Amino acid sequence: MFGRLGKQYADEITGHLEKAVGACLASKMPQSTEEATETMGNVTGTRRALFIGINYYGQKGELRGCINDVHNIKGYLTSNYRIDEVRVLTDDQKDRNCIPTRKNILAAFRWLRNGTKAGDSLILHYSGHGGSVKDTDGDEEDGMDETLVPVDYQSAGQIVDDEIHDVLCRGLAKGVRLTAIMDCCHSESMLDLPYIYTVDGNLQIIETNKQEGIVTLIGAGTRFLLDGNKKKAVKSATSGLKLLMSGGKGGNSAAREKTIKTRSTEADIIQFSGCRDSQTSADAQIGGQATGAMSYALITSLKKNKNQNYTHLLQSMRQILEGKYTQIPMMSAGRPLVLEHPFAI
């Protein structure tokens, strides 16, 4: 309907409209979101990165794209940002210390944070299976703890999010930045961070599926008017209707209050996750290569615009996956950080 300009600017215009509608809906239901208030420190010190990819060769539930994800994410980040120290764990290596066993993963977490000080930046990328088990300490709103699944999980066990937080996040010094990219199932709260973000940069207080459904439906209609892509619009509208019909969990809970009290951090910890805690993340075939859908979306979005801010990056990742996969990428933090500035590590 709007010709070449409509096609060219469809995503940008739709993004602005979705943000405005989301803000309007939030203003009508002020208990659903709150504004972030705290600023991140600057990165001036050492940059250290840990990449973990597990394909589970020869095991039930073998994956295809996780080691590719490590190569792709590592390649992009090391080509576009300064990284001083790198460690890689994948299950195709001969060195026993580089196999992603439970013991080696936890040791690598300790290596990542050891000796850090204000101004240092840490990067964690994990691609592999994620799971969930019954919560035993009352800090999960859905009653389930999330887990990472090491290559030797059948003998050594999974790594529960409580332990991940204790080893990787708890006590991390003020002024240290940790950016985690968790491309696995049930990953929304994998680091047990208390502050979940909406696509407009506000903090989510309750599940806002109805609001998000309305925003998605309006965005689908706008994008169709601009670029005429009927197939994409129908898929987006279907996704919006599902969110609209699903409702939410309800208001503030004792579990969330406990999480804020016991899991808030002094360090600047930001996590991008492949999906909600209740969802799975796709091990996909894209462009002839096996890859995690979320890792693909992150790289694709950053290649288009390296200087976009954190909330725009989240929004862009969702748009890339929208209509193709049911998973919804999420973003969380250890304290209520304002993330309206360019993504950086």
Side-chain angles (χ1 to χ4, degrees), residues 33-325:
T33 62
E34 64 182 20
E35 289 188 4
T37 57
E38 300 182 18
T39 57
M40 283 202 294
N42 295 322
V43 175
T44 58
T46 301
R47 292 167 169 85
R48 187 181 293 167
L50 171 63
F51 302 94
I52 303 172
I54 317 176
N55 279 355
Y56 308 90
Y57 291 115
Q59 299 188 54
K60 183 179 179 181
E62 181 175 336
L63 299 174
R64 300 171 301 162
C66 299
I67 294 176
N68 288 338
D69 290 341
V70 163
H71 294 319
N72 294 337
I73 293 286
K74 176 176 174 287
Y76 178 82
L77 293 182
T78 55
S79 296
N80 290 274
Y81 303 91
R82 193 196 95 212
I83 299 180
D84 304 303
E85 302 173 36
V86 173
R87 184 169 291 189
V88 176
L89 302 182
T90 53
D91 55 342
D92 62 346
Q93 299 194 63
K94 294 180 179 179
D95 185 343
R96 286 187 175 184
N97 293 322
C98 296
I99 301 297
T101 62
R102 188 182 199 281
K103 178 181 178 181
N104 286 346
I105 290 174
L106 291 174
F109 285 170
R110 296 185 182 98
W111 167 82
L112 186 64
R113 64 170 291 169
N114 185 44
T116 52
K117 59 186 183 302
D120 290 345
S121 177
L122 312 176
I123 302 98
L124 168 64
H125 172 243
Y126 172 89
S127 182
H129 278 307
S132 59
V133 297
K134 187 174 181 180
D135 173 41
T136 58
D137 62 359
D139 66 342
E140 299 282 353
E141 288 188 84
D142 62 357
M144 302 296 289
D145 277 323
E146 284 60 54
T147 63
L148 295 181
V149 183
V151 70
D152 62 343
Y153 73 96
Q154 295 183 65
S155 58
Q158 301 179 45
I159 308 175
V160 178
D161 54 9
D162 295 340
E163 185 173 10
I164 297 168
H165 183 92
D166 288 345
V167 173
L168 190 60
C169 304
R170 189 178 300 281
L172 202 59
K174 184 176 181 179
V176 174
R177 182 180 301 181
L178 167 60
T179 305
I181 303 163
M182 310 302 287
D183 193 352
C184 57
C185 300
H186 314 295
S187 52
E188 177 182 357
S189 61
M190 190 63 75
L191 266 60
D192 256 359
L193 302 176
Y195 297 99
I196 309 294
Y197 287 77
T198 62
V199 290
D200 60 4
N202 287 328
L203 301 173
Q204 184 171 289
I205 305 306
I206 61 171
E207 288 282 357
T208 52
N209 285 356
K210 288 186 181 296
Q211 292 183 39
E212 192 169 333
I214 294 170
V215 169
T216 303
L217 284 168
I218 291 174
T222 303
R223 190 174 286 112
F224 175 65
L225 286 174
L226 290 169
D227 66 12
N229 191 328
K230 183 177 180 181
K231 184 176 180 181
K232 188 174 182 179
V234 169
K235 287 183 177 180
S236 182
T238 301
S239 174
L241 284 170
K242 286 180 179 178
L243 286 167
L244 189 62
M245 298 300 292
S246 67
K249 295 178 184 175
N252 297 346
S253 68
R256 183 177 184 277
E257 291 172 6
K258 180 176 181 179
T259 299
I260 291 175
K261 184 176 181 180
T262 62
R263 302 289 196 270
S264 292
T265 65
E266 289 192 337
D268 300 334
I269 304 178
I270 306 102
Q271 173 189 283
F272 288 95
S273 54
C275 61
R276 296 182 185 273
D277 281 344
S278 60
Q279 294 180 317
T280 58
S281 288
D283 186 42
Q285 189 79 18
I286 303 174
Q289 184 186 56
T291 181
M294 181 264 195
S295 293
Y296 167 80
L298 178 69
I299 294 174
T300 300
S301 180
L302 287 174
K303 283 182 176 179
K304 289 180 179 178
N305 181 5
K306 180 184 173 184
N307 297 314
Q308 62 190 309
N309 67 36
Y310 286 81
T311 50
H312 286 165
L313 177 56
L314 175 66
Q315 184 180 70
S316 175
M317 290 166 61
R318 289 185 174 188
Q319 289 175 349
I320 289 168
L321 299 183
E322 184 182 27
K324 304 179 185 73
Y325 305 95

